[in-house]
Amino acid sequence: MRILVTGGVRSGKSTHAEDLIGGAPATYVATGTPPDREQDPDWAARIDAHRDRRPASWGTVETQDLAGVLAEADAPLLVDCLGTWLTAVIDAEGAWERDSDAVHDLVLARTDEVVAALTRCEQDVVLVTNEVGLGIVPEHRSGRLFRDLLGVVNQRVAAACDEVHLVVAGRVLRL
């Protein structure tokens, strides 16, 4: 089973995704860059809260090689989240200031790798992502670029999933 869980910030999507996996042995795939605890203590505290909620039977992999993890999975996976993965992809290539079409091509190529690996993965996979297209248009180019690209990533990954769950105010809508 492949499930994409989407929703706004603090909507309850990560908790819902964790509940979908349950207490059985699983691998938590943290796709973001580890925080600098001194520079961003709030982000570090947020990550600590996620770690503290996980069952002891879960392993953790911190990586941006999402396609690689999916290809080698030997236990159910919880991927949290596609938004931090997207940021890491763009950061790794130093692509924030590149032409929009070039960044789009980069992200599509990396997303296609993830979708292909997800389609072949024999383990249950729950992926968490942010729903960023429901608010105002961001003032800055990087915000608009991120919003637009994450929308494309979400669509492509959703097409490869069996279910999509939208979490709003802690309530789940199965789409």
Side-chain angles (χ1 to χ4, degrees):
M1 177 72 69
R2 291 180 291 271
I3 301 172
L4 179 65
V5 178
T6 188
V9 173
R10 298 289 194 197
S11 63
K13 61 190 176 294
S14 292
T15 302
H16 174 64
E18 292 162 5
D19 290 345
L20 289 169
I21 295 290
T27 300
Y28 184 95
V29 183
T31 61
T33 305
D36 180 325
R37 293 187 171 278
E38 289 183 25
Q39 297 232 345
D40 197 345
D42 292 337
W43 186 249
R46 196 172 185 151
I47 289 172
D48 289 343
H50 276 254
R51 284 183 182 141
D52 291 345
R53 280 199 315 254
R54 289 183 218 143
S57 61
W58 289 14
T60 300
V61 174
E62 294 181 356
T63 185
Q64 288 77 49
D65 182 14
L66 187 49
V69 170
L70 289 163
E72 298 176 10
D74 60 359
L77 299 175
L78 192 159
V79 177
D80 200 351
C81 84
L82 295 179
T84 54
W85 173 79
L86 173 61
T87 300
V89 166
I90 298 171
D91 284 349
E93 295 292 325
W96 286 105
E97 298 305 321
R98 287 189 196 162
D99 174 78
S100 294
D101 289 339
V103 182
H104 189 85
D105 291 345
L106 164 72
V107 169
L108 288 182
R110 293 291 300 275
T111 303
D112 287 347
E113 294 169 2
V114 168
V115 168
L118 178 61
T119 302
R120 290 188 304 268
C121 185
E122 296 181 9
Q123 300 295 326
D124 288 338
V125 181
V126 177
L127 304 107
V128 177
T129 191
N130 291 297
E131 190 56 53
V132 295
L134 298 174
I136 61 170
V137 175
E139 177 181 358
H140 300 285
R141 177 187 181 272
S142 59
R144 290 188 304 273
L145 182 65
F146 176 81
R147 178 208 53 196
D148 293 349
L149 290 170
L150 187 57
V152 171
V153 169
N154 289 349
Q155 287 182 54
R156 288 183 177 231
V157 171
C161 288
D162 303 301
E163 296 180 11
V164 176
H165 297 184
L166 174 63
V167 182
V168 179
R171 305 300 289 264
V172 180
L173 298 169
R174 286 170 174 80
L175 306 176

